[in-house]
Amino acid sequence: MSVSAAPLVKARRRIPIGAAIGLFFTGLFLSTAIFAPLIAPHPLGEIVGDVWMPMSAKFPLGTDNLGRDLLSRMIYGTRTTIFIAAVATALSFTLGSILGFTAAVVGGWFDMTMSRCVDLLMSIPTLIFALVVLSVLPSNLVTLILLMGTLDSTRVYRLSRAVAADINAMDFVEAAKLRGEGRAWIIFREILPNALSPLVSELGLRFIFAVLFLSALSFLGLGVQPPQADWGGMVKDNKDGIVFGISAALMPAAVIGALAISVNLVADWILNRTTDLKGGRGNG
Amino acid sequence: MSPIVRLIVQRIALGVLLLFLVSILIFAGTQILPGDVAQAILGQQATPEALANLRAELGLNDPAYFRYFRWLGGVLTGDLGTSLTTGQEVTATLLPRLWNTLFLSFWAAIVAVPLAIVLGLISARYRNGWVDKLISGLALTSTSLPEFFVGYLLIYLCAVKLQWFSSISTVYDGMPFLDRMKAIALPATVLTLVVLAHMMRMTRAAILNVMQSAYIETAELKGLRPIEIIRRHAFPNAIAPVINVVMLNLAYLIVGVVVIEVIFVYPGMGQYLVDHVSKRDVPVVQAVGLIFAAVYIGLNIVADIAAIVANPRLRHPK
Amino acid sequence: MADTLLDIRNLRIEATVYPPGEPPRTATIVDDVSLTLEKGRVLGLIGESGAGKSTIGLSPMGYGRGGVRITGGEVILNGRNILQQSKNGIRKLRGREVCYVAQSAAAAFNPAQRLMDQVVESSLKHGVANRAEAEKRAIALFKKLSLPNPENIGRRYPHQVSGGQLQRVMTVMALCPEPDLIIFDEPTTALDVTTQIDVLAAIKDAIRDTGVAALYITHDLAVVTQVADDIMVLRHGKMVEKGTTFEIIKQPKQPYTQALVSVHHIEHEEKQPTPKPILSVKKVTAAYGNGIIKVLKDVTVDIHPSQTLAVVGESGSGKSTLARAITGLLPPQQGEIIFEGRKLSSRLADRSKDDLRQLQMIYQMADVAMNPRHTVGTIIGRPLTFYFGLRGAERDKRVKELLEEIEMGAGFIHRYPAELSGGQKQRVCIARALAAKPKLIICDEVTSALDPLVANGILKLLLNLQKMEQVAYLFITHDLATVKSIADSIAVMYRGELVRYGSKSQVLTPPFDDYTDLLLSSVPEMEIGWLETAIAGRKMASAGN
């Protein structure tokens, strides 16, 4: 079957235009987050002018509902949003992938218990569950990160367990088990190198989800609390201006979209250039 | 037919069990976590006596399982408790709001489902062509944009600049149908956009998956035209995965509805929930959370049953 | 030549391929192939994987899989050049003048439609017959192909009939619109050997009785010998040789064809059992699914030092389960495994490192038996480090020695599995097993995914290594020809039970039990007329009962 087996792998040397744009903007957002205090023209909470001033040379994006510089707040917001989303994603990935891999390799009661618990957690919509919990817990940084990380780790668990279970069923893993290799070798040397690409691409998607989720919570008034600035909270602060034709609320909202699109483009590209497990050259 | 019936019954029983466990989880989430409801209501400055009184009033001194079963018993008899902040019966306040939310979701679904399937079909038919690329580009964009961006953009354009609609979607009892439709036009549009992209992408994938089967090649080698292949061979096998996709995304819709109701100040369940979360009104939060979870689980059950019914191996056992 | 049905001239077919880490390039799949087929004749296309035989076979239907394109030559069917037809023109002849029988009927039928609807679809589409006529013809064909319950089988769904039956229904589907030409693409390859013979006989009868012409594509020369009038041998997309079946089988001119014809001739002298077996399986019973599905029932066999025990059986015979029970992957419910006089723990986790070292395994699919992210050096070197603590230069030296032993050479040490051919991959797996210096290697269908000549090379290598390294083999296979060439003793298995066991000469000498007889008489031989003799013998046997 020479023909059907041919195109399995698309290895591209050059970065496609979409991914290049995505990489550029992702990089831009990251450096903004890191160097926020250096870039921002005004301090975070300083009232510098009137309420909802239009765009001008002095205030490139105008001022907000309290007369603070919108651009400066957005720059600081980049930092808050990306920091919380990144830490939550890191938590969900560490938790989800370690448990998922272990469940796939160990199997038995551990797998059963973990998988049923995850099924249960996933049978409540994430946002609803978060709202239920936030009705009791204080909405501070630690709560938010723990909550988002835990809830999102269920998805990472499912993916990494599925990927690892696929690889675990392959003959080369069985060969390693027959050789007498320990669990550490099997997970880190046999399974992990083959599971990396789908997981890295998933990392991007989970990060986007965290950004959107955090923004939604803050928009509902249950996420990042003042005086901290984050994008979702800024939309909430300025939303009343919309009816007067003031677009201040749209700016942070648009930036959330821009970050999500950029990361999406990068994740898509990583997924596409992923070589398949058999490494190509047909399979027969 | 018996194995099918057995599987369906099993699936429904599993759903009921899941809902029971979810109710425990929701209850535990609001009661056992290291926050105290009484403290939350009265704030940090409350006197110990006031706290003790409130705890007694709320029955917080009873053991947790006891309170859980009291609550569950109420839920099963239609009594969702009393709001801590307004003192009103939750059930009475909630029902009209539930109806409003279902009304909004229903019309969003009516538009989104056929549109998503048609776009998915077009994408699959012209795979990798410019139409497909355009559609998936738009889908990527719309999954990346937060609901409130789309929502406020529409308000900004259609309500403020063009003045076609009101920026607030007020509905009330006895409102004429057409007025009601006009009131939900904007939120329904946003809701449609929110689920459309996912649904379309997954429909496309489901159809492409079927189109790559060997029996599609067989049909092609019989000299059938593409439209005949789709109608006779691809479609019957794609129904189950597509129904599955639709149901899963309708479940997604009920999450989107929360934020959208807040944007448009629409008097539905979502807004009700958000309001009472910030007021730490636990009975309301529990009730609304449980109802959302029940709808979500219900839609998942329907998706699974559709897959079971559409499987020829189960419909025609050996 | 008034009777010429199909005339392919200087056909050239190309495809775009995507090698890992390189830019896409154009590869030639079929290069300058010409053939003619007269009405009512059967031409066999034979070759290894990658020979381009399926691609050639599909060209009269104007169809290419996976983006292949015809870039040169002519394909003339019934006087018309296919390559100049419009899409509509091609659709008119597909399913009318040319029909196709695929390798896997199970995948080629629409699971949501009854068989009859699919069988008569082409006839109705092309207006060959109305529904009643078409169904009548289909039922007649069901009878001709000896399908059970021909009146009603059409009402069933694909998953409700067996693989062998489905393959026959697919043949009926191709015959129903009375085409001029049928393409058979490996129609019996996916079947068990005892099922294959019946399907083969049915196909042959149907071709003869309806007078349809056929292109019969296969990698198995013995099979094609039974059905084809002429044979064309292909390799790497080029024609090697063509002639009548007699010429190809008896007087092959090209060295490649000669090698194919003589592929099963391996010199091996049967060794006698020793008093002390290296491994004994004693009354082993094993089951899956919490002991419910018994797949191995009370099996007892011995393996002698530096000898080969071949375990033969069809799918579902339990032969691979036996391997899993011996290795400890599936602890037996009852019975024991004795290795060098000691009882082995039934569970893998309880065995000592040295026990594990003594018992190595080689798999059917070398592709998935090696971690694609490890180099050949790591794959072979890991057991050296793990069992003997070899590292660095010492380890590399030993890996290179092993690469020499498997006739590949030290240069492969830094390659990845994706850069190796199928045969090379299997050799690396053999080296990995040898690296542990085992006393016994379990070979699970190690040659069945390989082309015949490559498989032959692997068998010869295994026999050589047995002499050099004094290693015993437990050789699991469905292929009796392989068994005859390498075994010292044979165990025949059927549905989890041992039906015949002994030295090779004992097992292969009559009188036979029924199943062994059936198995032995089902293996196609490279003799013209073998099929008729075998079928006649079988009818006599059943009449005798």
Side-chain angles (χ1 to χ4, degrees):
Chain A
M1 304 300 113
S2 54
V3 183
S4 57
L8 283 170
V9 187
K10 290 186 185 180
R12 294 179 209 150
R13 286 289 157 91
R14 291 182 52 233
I15 300 176
I17 184 90
I21 296 174
L23 277 173
F24 174 74
F25 279 100
T26 310
L28 191 69
F29 279 117
L30 280 180
S31 27
T32 309
I34 294 168
F35 302 112
L38 301 177
I39 308 169
H42 301 278
L44 178 62
E46 191 186 12
I47 294 173
V48 291
D50 279 343
V51 171
W52 284 324
M53 282 166 71
M55 297 181 192
S56 63
K58 196 171 170 210
F59 309 117
L61 296 179
T63 57
D64 75 351
N65 60 327
L66 296 178
R68 295 168 295 192
D69 179 40
L70 199 62
L71 178 66
S72 304
R73 285 186 68 76
M74 275 175 56
I75 289 172
Y76 278 103
T78 311
R79 188 174 231 198
T80 317
T81 305
I82 289 186
F83 172 74
I84 297 180
V87 177
T89 310
L91 176 67
S92 76
F93 247 76
T94 322
L95 203 63
S97 56
I98 288 180
L99 291 177
F101 276 23
T102 316
V105 175
V106 175
W109 66 266
F110 182 78
D111 184 20
M112 271 293 283
T113 320
M114 284 308 302
S115 296
R116 291 298 82 78
C117 284
V118 165
D119 286 350
L120 180 62
L121 273 181
M122 288 183 87
S123 66
I124 307 176
T126 317
L127 183 64
I128 306 295
F129 195 80
L131 292 181
V132 169
V133 173
L134 285 174
S135 72
V136 188
L137 289 183
S139 182
N140 57 34
L141 216 65
V142 179
T143 319
L144 279 177
I145 289 174
L146 284 179
L147 185 63
M148 287 169 56
T150 317
L151 288 180
D152 217 28
S153 69
T154 54
R155 281 153 219 276
V156 182
Y157 171 87
R158 279 224 178 142
L159 177 80
S160 43
R161 186 188 166 279
V163 170
D166 273 0
I167 300 170
N168 193 40
M170 295 195 136
D171 286 344
F172 66 81
V173 179
E174 188 181 297
K177 286 179 189 159
L178 283 180
R179 200 188 304 140
E181 300 282 4
R183 231 160 239 167
W185 172 277
I186 288 174
I187 290 182
F188 291 107
R189 297 301 303 274
E190 304 284 351
I191 294 181
L192 193 62
N194 292 297
L196 225 42
S197 333
L199 285 182
V200 167
S201 144
E202 180 71 6
L203 187 69
L205 299 182
R206 292 331 319 159
F207 176 71
I208 297 172
F209 184 82
V211 169
L212 291 174
F213 192 73
L214 175 70
S215 304
L217 282 180
S218 295
F219 169 71
L220 297 176
L222 302 163
V224 178
Q225 300 297 320
Q228 284 275 2
D230 87 311
W231 294 338
M234 293 177 67
V235 176
K236 177 190 162 68
D237 291 344
N238 293 293
K239 68 181 181 186
D240 296 333
I242 294 276
V243 275
F244 307 114
I246 292 157
S247 58
L250 291 177
M251 309 277 182
V255 174
I256 297 169
L259 174 63
I261 292 174
S262 317
V263 178
N264 243 326
L265 287 170
V266 177
D268 251 23
W269 169 58
I270 293 175
L271 194 65
N272 279 336
R273 66 191 286 275
T274 299
T275 49
D276 76 315
L277 209 57
K278 285 171 191 153
R281 191 194 255 241
N283 33 346
Chain B
M1 290 302 274
S2 84
I4 268 204
V5 174
R6 207 185 64 231
L7 273 173
I8 292 175
V9 170
Q10 268 177 3
R11 185 62 191 83
I12 292 174
L14 189 69
V16 172
L17 175 70
L18 206 55
L19 194 57
F20 173 67
L21 293 173
V22 163
S23 74
I24 296 182
L25 201 60
I26 287 178
F27 186 84
T30 53
Q31 301 280 326
I32 298 168
L33 281 172
D36 181 351
V37 182
Q39 185 94 60
I41 297 167
L42 297 176
Q44 294 296 330
Q45 287 81 31
T47 59
E49 295 85 57
L51 279 176
N53 283 340
L54 187 60
R55 284 202 187 102
E57 193 186 325
L58 296 177
L60 290 182
N61 296 327
D62 296 331
Y65 71 90
F66 190 82
R67 281 180 281 135
Y68 168 71
F69 282 108
R70 197 167 53 204
W71 174 67
L72 186 68
V75 170
L76 292 177
T77 52
D79 172 17
L80 294 168
T82 313
S83 162
L84 295 179
T85 45
T86 62
Q88 288 169 329
E89 289 280 309
V90 175
T91 316
T93 325
L94 196 137
L95 278 179
R97 286 175 173 269
L98 177 61
W99 163 246
N100 284 344
T101 294
L102 291 179
F103 186 78
L104 175 60
S105 313
F106 173 78
W107 286 107
I110 287 285
V111 180
V113 172
L115 198 59
I117 292 177
V118 169
L119 287 177
L121 273 171
I122 293 176
S123 258
R125 172 72 185 80
Y126 300 101
R127 179 160 58 118
N128 297 336
W130 66 270
V131 183
D132 181 30
K133 289 204 172 112
L134 181 74
I135 293 178
S136 41
L138 289 176
L140 178 81
T141 314
S142 85
T143 47
S144 304
L145 294 176
E147 294 94 338
F148 44 76
F149 178 69
V150 185
Y152 284 124
L153 193 64
L154 281 182
I155 291 181
Y156 187 73
L157 296 176
C158 300
V160 178
K161 295 283 167 193
L162 298 167
Q163 309 257 326
W164 288 346
F165 298 96
S166 162
S167 66
I168 291 178
S169 304
T170 321
V171 288
Y172 48 88
D173 272 350
M175 192 177 184
F177 180 73
L178 279 179
D179 288 358
R180 194 178 266 262
M181 291 302 286
K182 195 177 171 197
I184 66 155
L186 286 185
T189 309
V190 181
L191 205 46
T192 303
L193 289 176
V194 167
V195 285
L196 188 64
H198 270 117
M199 212 187 280
M200 187 229 85
R201 273 186 156 186
M202 286 163 76
T203 307
R204 174 183 182 273
I207 289 173
L208 282 183
N209 192 26
V210 171
M211 290 302 283
Q212 273 153 10
S213 315
Y215 54 81
I216 298 296
E217 183 182 279
T218 308
E220 239 175 293
L221 293 178
K222 281 175 176 173
L224 302 187
R225 281 178 299 150
I227 189 74
E228 290 169 314
I229 295 176
I230 290 179
R231 187 171 58 79
R232 294 174 55 83
H233 296 284
F235 189 66
N237 289 294
I239 290 176
V242 168
I243 291 183
N244 211 4
V245 167
V246 167
M247 287 302 154
L248 292 179
N249 281 287
L250 290 185
Y252 189 76
L253 195 138
I254 61 173
V255 180
V257 88
V258 174
V259 174
I260 285 163
E261 285 180 4
V262 172
I263 298 171
F264 291 92
V265 203
Y266 181 80
M269 297 249 293
Q271 206 205 25
Y272 188 51
L273 174 64
V274 172
D275 274 358
H276 289 82
V277 167
S278 40
K279 291 178 194 156
R280 306 193 179 273
D281 192 338
V282 170
V284 175
V285 173
Q286 283 173 341
V288 180
L290 190 63
I291 289 174
F292 270 121
V295 174
Y296 192 77
I297 291 173
L299 287 168
N300 276 301
I301 295 178
V302 175
D304 286 356
I305 290 179
I308 294 170
V309 171
N311 186 341
R313 282 168 190 276
L314 294 172
R315 254 187 304 142
H316 309 280
K318 286 197 176 187
Chain C
M1 286 210 285
D3 277 356
T4 302
L5 172 68
L6 175 68
D7 189 2
I8 295 179
R9 291 182 201 152
N10 310 103
L11 185 66
R12 183 179 175 85
I13 299 179
E14 292 176 344
T16 307
V17 293
Y18 302 88
E22 287 169 44
R25 59 183 168 81
T26 301
T28 307
I29 308 290
V30 175
D31 187 10
D32 195 23
V33 169
S34 302
L35 62 87
T36 56
L37 181 62
E38 284 156 30
K39 281 184 179 150
R41 300 278 286 183
V42 178
L43 172 66
L45 294 181
I46 185 148
E48 311 174 339
S49 55
K53 49 195 194 302
S54 286
T55 313
I56 298 173
L58 283 166
S59 66
M61 306 190 84
Y63 188 84
R65 278 194 192 119
V68 301
R69 35 186 198 278
I70 298 175
T71 51
E74 293 175 317
V75 180
I76 297 163
L77 178 77
N78 277 331
R80 298 189 311 286
N81 190 346
I82 298 287
L83 309 183
Q84 286 160 4
Q85 295 292 308
S86 65
K87 274 189 176 171
N88 218 2
I90 284 180
R91 277 203 288 272
K92 278 195 180 120
L93 63 91
R94 284 181 187 168
R96 174 69 195 91
E97 290 172 41
V98 202
C99 288
Y100 181 72
V101 178
Q103 173 172 352
S104 167
F109 275 103
N110 180 346
Q113 248 184 29
R114 292 179 196 276
L115 291 173
M116 184 59 91
D117 292 335
Q118 307 190 50
V119 168
V120 300
E121 192 171 20
S122 307
S123 309
L124 301 184
K125 159 77 190 165
H126 298 289
V128 182
N130 64 29
R131 181 144 197 128
E133 290 164 9
E135 289 197 0
K136 211 173 126 197
R137 191 183 298 157
I139 290 171
L141 286 165
F142 286 149
K143 259 184 212 145
K144 184 187 290 299
L145 276 101
S146 358
L147 280 156
N149 202 357
E151 300 286 340
N152 295 319
I153 194 166
R155 279 196 226 140
R156 320 211 80 186
Y157 282 83
H159 66 272
Q160 293 173 316
V161 300
S162 73
Q165 291 169 1
L166 214 49
Q167 208 67 49
R168 280 183 260 180
V169 175
M170 182 126 203
T171 308
V172 171
M173 186 158 88
L175 287 165
C176 195
E178 300 189 323
D180 303 315
L181 172 64
I182 296 184
I183 319 288
F184 289 96
D185 195 351
E186 306 257 14
T188 62
T189 306
L191 302 174
D192 269 331
V193 66
T194 52
T195 317
Q196 163 173 281
I197 184 171
D198 293 327
V199 175
L200 207 55
I203 288 176
K204 185 172 187 182
D205 285 353
I207 292 175
R208 192 189 55 222
D209 296 352
T210 55
V212 67
L215 281 179
Y216 196 101
I217 298 160
T218 178
H219 68 284
D220 189 337
L221 200 48
V223 164
V224 83
T225 303
Q226 308 312 316
V227 289
D229 302 307
D230 303 285
I231 293 177
M232 175 183 269
V233 183
L234 293 154
R235 191 182 198 197
H236 305 325
K238 291 198 175 79
M239 187 193 78
V240 175
E241 186 170 1
K242 76 180 159 190
T244 64
T245 300
F246 181 82
E247 285 165 352
I248 296 291
I249 300 300
K250 295 296 174 196
Q251 298 148 0
K253 294 189 192 69
Q254 298 296 323
Y256 178 67
T257 317
Q258 287 162 358
L260 279 185
V261 170
S262 61
V263 70
H264 288 309
H265 294 244
I266 292 180
E267 292 295 320
H268 175 62
E269 204 170 302
E270 181 183 333
K271 295 190 270 293
Q272 289 310 308
T274 55
K276 272 175 75 180
I278 183 120
L279 184 123
S280 301
V281 176
K282 289 208 190 309
K283 292 183 167 297
V284 162
T285 297
Y288 287 111
N290 288 329
I292 300 158
I293 310 152
K294 280 218 163 80
V295 275
L296 213 54
K297 295 165 203 158
D298 202 19
V299 172
T300 301
V301 288
D302 287 336
I303 304 165
H304 297 279
S306 335
Q307 293 194 10
T308 304
L309 168 69
V311 179
V312 209
E314 298 177 280
S315 50
S317 63
K319 56 190 192 301
S320 290
T321 311
L322 180 62
R324 293 178 68 80
I326 293 174
T327 53
L329 285 167
L330 181 73
Q333 286 183 309
Q334 288 157 29
E336 47 193 31
I337 316 279
I338 311 286
F339 181 74
E340 289 191 313
R342 305 175 278 117
K343 182 173 182 295
L344 277 185
S345 315
S346 61
R347 276 161 37 90
L348 178 66
D350 300 336
R351 292 190 184 175
S352 72
K353 204 168 176 176
D354 200 55
D355 284 344
L356 295 174
R357 179 184 70 75
Q358 298 282 16
L359 239 161
Q360 292 291 311
M361 178 134 175
I362 311 173
Y363 294 85
Q364 174 176 5
M365 307 298 288
D367 264 332
V368 286
M370 288 184 286
N371 190 331
R373 309 275 169 192
H374 289 172
T375 60
V376 167
T378 312
I379 290 167
I380 302 177
R382 178 61 190 169
L384 297 173
T385 310
F386 188 76
Y387 294 125
F388 307 113
L390 293 188
R391 285 175 204 283
E394 218 184 347
R395 178 173 116 159
D396 280 357
K397 184 169 156 273
R398 181 72 187 121
V399 170
K400 285 176 184 164
E401 280 171 22
L402 284 161
L403 280 169
E404 295 297 338
E405 275 191 60
I406 55 166
E407 298 154 16
M408 276 174 66
F412 282 90
I413 193 163
H414 296 301
R415 301 269 194 99
Y416 283 90
E419 299 169 286
L420 307 177
S421 72
Q424 287 170 337
K425 285 178 195 167
Q426 198 57 288
R427 280 168 195 261
V428 172
C429 288
I430 293 172
R432 174 173 65 184
L434 284 179
K437 290 193 174 292
K439 292 248 169 64
L440 170 67
I441 300 180
I442 298 173
C443 306
D444 190 357
E445 300 269 15
V446 290
T447 55
S448 36
L450 300 172
D451 288 313
L453 290 180
V454 181
N456 212 32
I458 297 284
L459 291 180
K460 281 181 181 156
L461 174 69
L462 283 172
L463 285 177
N464 265 340
L465 292 172
Q466 186 165 57
K467 278 187 208 127
M468 282 159 48
E469 307 275 338
Q470 299 296 309
V471 61
Y473 296 133
L474 174 70
F475 202 94
I476 293 163
T477 181
H478 69 280
D479 181 8
L480 272 166
T482 309
V483 172
K484 285 178 189 166
S485 23
I486 63 150
D488 297 304
S489 46
I490 301 178
V492 181
M493 294 193 61
Y494 180 64
R495 295 196 178 169
E497 284 176 63
L498 196 61
V499 291
R500 194 174 173 90
Y501 170 56
S503 71
K504 178 165 87 175
S505 45
Q506 282 167 350
V507 168
L508 297 182
T509 312
F512 298 120
D513 61 284
D514 289 350
Y515 181 71
T516 307
D517 190 32
L518 178 70
L519 199 60
L520 286 172
S521 67
S522 297
V523 181
E525 283 170 26
M526 227 177 274
E527 290 293 333
I528 297 171
W530 165 83
L531 182 62
E532 285 74 12
T533 320
I535 293 288
R538 207 172 271 199
K539 280 189 184 134
M540 289 228 318
S542 63
N545 287 343

